[in-house]
Amino acid sequence: MWSLSRLAIFGLSILSVSATILQNGQPRITNFPNSRIDPSSYSLTTYPRNASEISYKGRWDSRYVSWWSAPGIKFGYTGQTVAVTFGNWTSDGVLVGYRISGLDWIFTNVTVGGTHLFVSPETPGSDLTAPISPSTFELRVTNWAYRIQIEAVHVAEGEKLIKIPDYGRRIEVIGDSLASGMYTSYEGLSSWAYGLGAGLGNTEYSITAYPGICAADQDCWGNPRGQVHQWFYTSDTSYRASVMYGDNPEPWDFSKRPAADIVVINIGTNDQNSHNNVSITTYIDALTKIIQGVHGKWPKAQVVVMSLWLGFYQSGNTYLPNAPQGFVNEIYQMYKWFNSDDYLRNPIVYDGVTKKTSKTGKGTAPFVHYFNTTGIMQHNDIGPQWHPTDVGAIKVASHLQQFIRMTFGWEFYATGSEVFHETEYWNDEPGY
């Protein structure tokens, strides 16, 4: 969680950001390096932001501005120097995580218009060139509410960037605050959605999730549109998006990236909240159209629909899940309908830009799967603000990984590199 000079939840505006992580209400000790430099003091080779060697992860608009949760960049490089210049649309002070090859994440705050030195000969591991060769550099935005804009990437004079091929499999997560990492330590980089994608290993992942958003296309907690609409667009539903685009955001160009192989959907917690006044019929219609929209854009993608969780309460001398647990029966019946013979013979696709549905004219094999979250988390895996703790996020990610492995035959390829940062809790005292 961040210490903010102005509240930045559910799409409200943000004035500035500071790097205080609150751990159970107390500031966590951090040591984020000051990475800003004066580039005129260095001899650098500069690449423009549209250089083919730079791979953009997640959703970025035509101005090279990042959106949604945990977007990033990745490339290979020679030498021992990497710096990035950020544009004027960057959220001043936003915390980013970066890493060299398979080494641990490092965090720093970046600034509007600033050039930041991430790798230098003094950076631990910058001289290690195997077994990952060439060395790679990856940077991710931690917070769902803030953005970066890439202006240029620099390496040492005489060195170069190298294009790193994408991994051969891709996963997309569509969701709300639960998927975006709200209230976990490093937010997007501590979310279960990130843990799923990164934890699988050798997998490209994109997290199209934003706090407070509903599936239904209506205002929910300050988000003017729902995922049934917004998933088809590049930007999220934040205040900053309205400042940049008003009511005319850029549609997402699905041809920019290969199709996702698996799409995980976890949305509905905000729809079921009585504050937002979404009926069951409206919610299921929106969720149905999101799935049909995915099938329209990526006909071969497998869709995993997660059941919702709404926390727990103490009942006498134990704890029980809050009831009802969020459209449980309705989500399951929708899943069964997608797998019915009638639907599979005449599948329907949806376009969130034109708002049109149409039949494909040809049958399809089953592609919608149901992931039951019951029993994965317990009451102490949910924080005081109704979101998974770091441990809760890890549990959800781990169970999803196993579900994907058993359902689709995806092997695990992560070989030991850090996924979640600062989760090493252990006991060195054996003599109780």
Side-chain angles (χ1 to χ4, degrees):
M1 182 178 178
W2 299 103
S3 172
L4 307 180
S5 62
R6 183 170 176 179
L7 190 63
I9 298 174
F10 305 138
L12 301 181
S13 64
I14 298 120
L15 296 184
S16 64
V17 187
S18 63
T20 300
I21 294 176
L22 295 181
Q23 181 174 292
N24 297 338
Q26 301 298 317
R28 176 187 289 186
I29 297 173
T30 58
N31 186 26
F32 302 141
N34 181 0
S35 55
R36 184 161 182 168
I37 61 168
D38 178 0
S40 65
S41 301
Y42 294 77
S43 297
L44 300 171
T45 298
T46 298
Y47 286 77
R49 60 191 183 183
N50 64 346
S52 61
E53 293 86 352
I54 304 171
S55 295
Y56 287 83
K57 310 297 183 180
R59 294 197 180 185
W60 295 71
D61 65 19
S62 61
R63 305 179 196 181
Y64 296 87
V65 173
S66 64
W67 299 98
W68 302 96
S69 183
I73 58 174
K74 187 175 183 180
F75 48 80
Y77 65 94
T78 62
Q80 291 180 260
T81 301
V82 175
V84 178
T85 299
F86 296 92
N88 291 332
W89 283 108
T90 298
S91 299
D92 200 33
V94 61
L95 190 71
V96 298
Y98 63 97
R99 71 194 315 174
I100 299 172
S101 301
L103 300 180
D104 288 356
W105 289 105
I106 304 171
F107 293 84
T108 188
N109 300 91
V110 302
T111 55
V112 174
T115 298
H116 289 259
L117 181 66
F118 296 109
V119 180
S120 72
E122 289 72 43
T123 305
S126 65
D127 60 334
L128 304 176
T129 57
I132 296 176
S133 181
S135 295
T136 61
F137 176 83
E138 181 179 8
L139 179 147
R140 297 272 177 173
V141 183
T142 64
N143 185 271
W144 37 266
Y146 311 128
R147 64 184 160 219
I148 59 173
Q149 182 184 38
I150 302 297
E151 281 295 330
V153 173
H154 317 273
V155 291
E157 187 174 32
E159 304 295 347
K160 63 181 180 178
L161 297 186
I162 300 168
K163 176 74 172 180
I164 301 298
D166 284 353
Y167 295 121
R169 57 189 194 182
R170 310 181 81 90
I171 195 164
E172 165 97 0
V173 176
I174 303 173
D176 48 33
S177 59
L178 301 176
S180 68
M182 192 174 189
Y183 299 128
T184 50
S185 291
Y186 288 98
E187 298 176 304
L189 289 182
S190 295
S191 70
W192 63 259
Y194 155 74
L196 170 64
L200 285 166
N202 294 0
T203 303
E204 300 293 335
Y205 58 91
S206 180
I207 307 169
T208 314
Y210 195 82
I213 196 169
C214 283
D217 192 20
Q218 67 172 63
D219 187 287
C220 289
W221 303 115
N223 293 280
R225 306 301 296 259
Q227 281 286 29
V228 70
H229 170 86
Q230 205 66 33
W231 183 73
F232 296 88
Y233 289 85
T234 304
S235 54
D236 51 43
T237 49
S238 61
Y239 173 76
R240 65 187 179 96
S242 68
V243 170
M244 288 188 69
Y245 290 110
D247 295 327
N248 190 32
E250 295 180 358
W252 177 243
D253 182 359
F254 285 88
S255 67
K256 279 186 175 182
R257 312 275 165 75
D261 300 295
I262 297 173
V263 178
V264 177
I265 302 176
N266 177 233
I267 193 166
T269 302
N270 298 303
D271 298 79
Q272 67 80 39
N273 192 300
S274 59
H275 173 87
N276 294 312
N277 196 29
V278 178
S279 69
I280 293 175
T281 300
T282 300
Y283 166 70
I284 291 297
D285 178 70
L287 183 57
T288 298
K289 286 178 177 175
I290 292 172
I291 296 170
Q292 291 171 336
V294 168
H295 192 58
K297 295 299 182 183
W298 299 324
K300 295 182 180 180
Q302 298 295 302
V303 177
V304 177
V305 181
M306 298 173 63
S307 68
L308 306 178
W309 64 83
L310 300 178
F312 302 85
Y313 69 99
Q314 184 172 350
S315 176
N317 60 1
T318 189
Y319 288 84
L320 297 173
N322 288 324
Q325 273 289 296
F327 309 132
V328 171
N329 293 331
E330 292 80 9
I331 293 173
Y332 188 76
Q333 291 305 315
M334 180 204 65
Y335 147 74
K336 297 290 286 184
W337 176 72
F338 269 107
N339 284 276
S340 67
D341 290 341
D342 286 345
Y343 186 82
L344 296 175
R345 282 195 295 265
N346 298 287
I348 298 169
V349 295
Y350 175 72
D351 189 307
V353 176
T354 65
K355 304 296 184 279
K356 292 181 179 179
T357 56
S358 59
K359 291 186 177 182
T360 63
K362 56 183 179 180
T364 183
F367 65 95
V368 179
H369 309 264
Y370 181 75
F371 179 73
N372 187 353
T373 62
T374 302
I376 293 175
M377 289 189 290
Q378 310 309 318
H379 82 94
N380 58 324
D381 297 318
I382 304 292
Q385 293 167 307
W386 304 102
H387 289 70
T389 63
D390 289 6
V391 172
I394 291 169
K395 290 172 72 173
V396 173
S398 298
H399 281 265
L400 267 169
Q401 285 175 228
Q402 288 290 357
F403 178 84
I404 288 171
R405 184 180 197 173
M406 292 186 295
T407 305
F408 307 113
W410 280 28
E411 292 300 324
F412 296 166
Y413 292 119
T415 57
S417 295
E418 178 179 84
V419 177
F420 291 99
H421 189 64
E422 292 182 344
T423 54
E424 296 179 357
Y425 312 124
W426 68 92
N427 173 34
D428 286 334
E429 176 53 67
Y432 286 111

